Amino acid sequence: MPMQTDYTEKLKKIESYLEHFLPQMPDISWQEQCFLLQKSLPSQSFAGLIPPCTDLISRGGKRWRPLLLVLCAEAGAVQTGRTLTEQVYALTPLVEFAHTASLIHDDIEDAADKRRGEPAIHIRYGIDTALNAGSWLYFQAPFCIETAQLSPDLKLALYTLYTAQIRRLHLGQALDIEWHKNNDKLPTVDEYTTMVTLKTGTLSALAAGIGTLVGSASKDMAERASQAAADIGVAFQILDDIINLTTGNPGKKRGDDIVEGKKSLPLLLHIQSHPEHMQQIMAYLQNARSEGICSPSVEHCISLITSGSALTEAKQRAQTMIKHACNEFACLFPAAGEQIRSITDLFEAMIPQ
């Protein structure tokens, strides 16, 4: 579906703040402010931190989370009659940096070799550097709160929301790791939804919560926006599950979820409908893990999972979740029609046809 709203100017501002808080060449003032250094260090001192992070960020990405943050801030301000400054853009690194950090670590944990069409960060820079840089980026993300021109109470609320969601993200990742390492464990669909809500839904919830809190100063509105956005995150993970088994995700190989042993929603739905296929699918996962992406088991497993209605059912679930979440945003911000249309356009444009 073509995107109806033009986000060009918003995206330009978002990119400028990503560069501001993570510059390619950190100057003396940035070094002193960020690291509390008493004297400047040569640029090569930061080679193990900044280049791995800026490398991945510069490869692109939809940037829909920082866009959601801005749109929720605008909607909250319209709804409550508050004046919103461009300060909200200075908070967008909070979600994009955390997202980037999670990708760096996720690729290590999944033994993935590609990300956005290029070598994964741990492949290009080494596991030790990638681990350290990804960890640092989680802590660098809230630096934008520290420097923001906001009240102490609001800063505290933003820090609290950020740390809570990052804790939830790591719990979700722990569940995902356990399940894809252990082929004796098959989660239920409800367990899968809980895991994805924690692992993937947290960053979209963070974006909506931060934006709404800054725009409206209402914790209740921020909580409702966060819950709706978490469902959006789950829906897009389901759509990613489907794409992985069909066309393949951009910059990655079709079926790499099979190699990693991911218990995706289409796989779970197919086994739920065809329990007689469970042992065969588990065997395919085991073979694919041992033999790699070129293993015949990858395509055999995909053929079995896609032979029924699992893909259609999964896509319908995702579309329903997105529709309900957009309706929740509309109910939450009834006075912000323009911003709600922008949010709806953003999400509908991301649904594969």
Side-chain angles (χ1 to χ4, degrees):
M1 176 180 294
M3 195 173 292
Q4 303 297 315
T5 305
D6 186 359
Y7 303 98
T8 303
E9 291 305 313
K10 284 182 170 59
L11 288 169
K12 285 182 179 178
K13 291 179 182 178
I14 288 169
E15 294 299 327
S16 71
Y17 279 101
L18 296 181
E19 169 66 21
H20 174 75
F21 284 101
L22 194 63
Q24 297 275 357
M25 297 293 292
D27 59 23
I28 294 174
S29 63
W30 186 89
Q31 293 181 33
E32 292 176 346
Q33 189 177 29
C34 183
F35 292 97
L36 303 179
L37 298 176
Q38 299 302 312
K39 62 179 182 179
S40 63
L41 295 175
S43 58
Q44 60 263 33
S45 302
F46 302 92
L49 288 181
I50 296 177
C53 299
T54 57
D55 181 346
L56 187 51
I57 290 172
S58 68
R59 296 180 193 179
K62 299 182 182 72
R63 305 286 195 257
W64 67 266
R65 295 171 187 84
L67 266 175
L68 177 61
L69 188 156
V70 172
L71 292 171
C72 284
E74 291 178 346
V78 170
Q79 186 64 36
T80 56
R82 293 168 60 86
T83 300
L84 187 68
T85 69
E86 195 169 309
Q87 179 67 51
V88 67
Y89 284 93
L91 294 171
T92 56
L94 196 61
V95 288
E96 196 62 26
F97 288 175
H99 174 56
T100 303
S102 73
L103 296 181
I104 293 173
H105 284 176
D106 191 53
D107 285 343
I108 296 171
E109 291 155 352
D110 291 344
D113 59 355
K114 293 283 188 181
R115 174 65 67 174
R116 294 174 178 166
E118 297 184 38
I121 296 303
H122 68 281
I123 299 296
R124 177 167 287 174
Y125 297 91
I127 290 179
D128 49 357
T129 295
L131 282 172
N132 190 57
S135 297
W136 172 75
L137 197 54
Y138 278 123
F139 293 100
Q140 175 64 7
F143 181 55
C144 63
I145 301 176
E146 185 178 328
T147 58
Q149 300 300 310
L150 302 171
S151 70
D153 286 346
L154 183 52
K155 284 187 176 184
L156 177 59
L158 299 183
Y159 274 121
T160 301
L161 182 54
Y162 177 78
T163 54
Q165 295 292 8
I166 296 304
R167 289 196 298 270
R168 287 165 56 82
L169 182 153
H170 283 79
L171 173 57
Q173 183 72 344
L175 291 172
D176 193 29
I177 291 170
E178 176 59 27
W179 294 345
H180 76 240
K181 283 172 54 180
N182 183 4
N183 277 340
D184 293 329
K185 168 63 177 176
L186 190 69
T188 65
V189 171
D190 284 345
E191 288 174 332
Y192 165 91
T193 303
T194 297
M195 180 275 290
V196 178
T197 300
L198 291 168
K199 176 184 174 180
T200 308
T202 51
L203 292 180
S204 48
L206 177 64
I210 292 290
T212 304
L213 200 54
V214 171
S216 70
S218 167
K219 290 185 178 181
D220 179 64
M221 291 176 69
E223 176 62 26
R224 288 180 60 189
S226 293
Q227 290 175 357
D231 286 345
I232 294 288
V234 174
F236 284 129
Q237 181 59 59
I238 293 171
L239 294 174
D240 273 354
D241 289 348
I242 295 169
I243 292 170
N244 189 273
L245 298 174
T246 52
T247 60
N249 298 98
K252 302 192 80 173
K253 297 174 181 176
R254 165 182 151 107
D256 62 352
D257 280 357
I258 302 297
V259 178
E260 294 166 12
K262 291 290 183 74
K263 310 305 190 295
S264 68
L265 184 61
L267 182 152
L268 297 175
L269 290 174
H270 183 80
I271 291 177
Q272 184 175 271
S273 299
H274 300 277
E276 70 276 12
H277 292 166
M278 178 176 173
Q279 293 304 318
Q280 184 62 67
I281 288 175
M282 294 298 103
Y284 285 147
L285 293 178
Q286 187 64 44
N287 291 340
R289 177 179 289 276
S290 300
E291 298 168 3
I293 194 65
C294 295
S295 170
S297 291
V298 173
E299 290 301 324
H300 291 329
C301 191
I302 290 175
S303 294
L304 192 55
I305 294 171
T306 58
S307 64
S309 61
L311 291 187
T312 300
E313 184 179 345
K315 185 174 182 179
Q316 288 174 343
R317 288 188 182 217
Q319 290 173 323
T320 298
M321 293 181 77
I322 292 171
K323 181 179 179 180
H324 285 172
C326 288
N327 288 340
E328 177 63 14
F329 280 119
C331 292
L332 183 59
F333 306 116
E338 180 181 347
Q339 288 73 27
I340 295 304
R341 283 191 294 274
S342 295
I343 290 172
T344 301
D345 283 351
L346 176 66
F347 294 143
E348 288 185 346
M350 292 167 61
I351 300 175
Q353 300 304 301

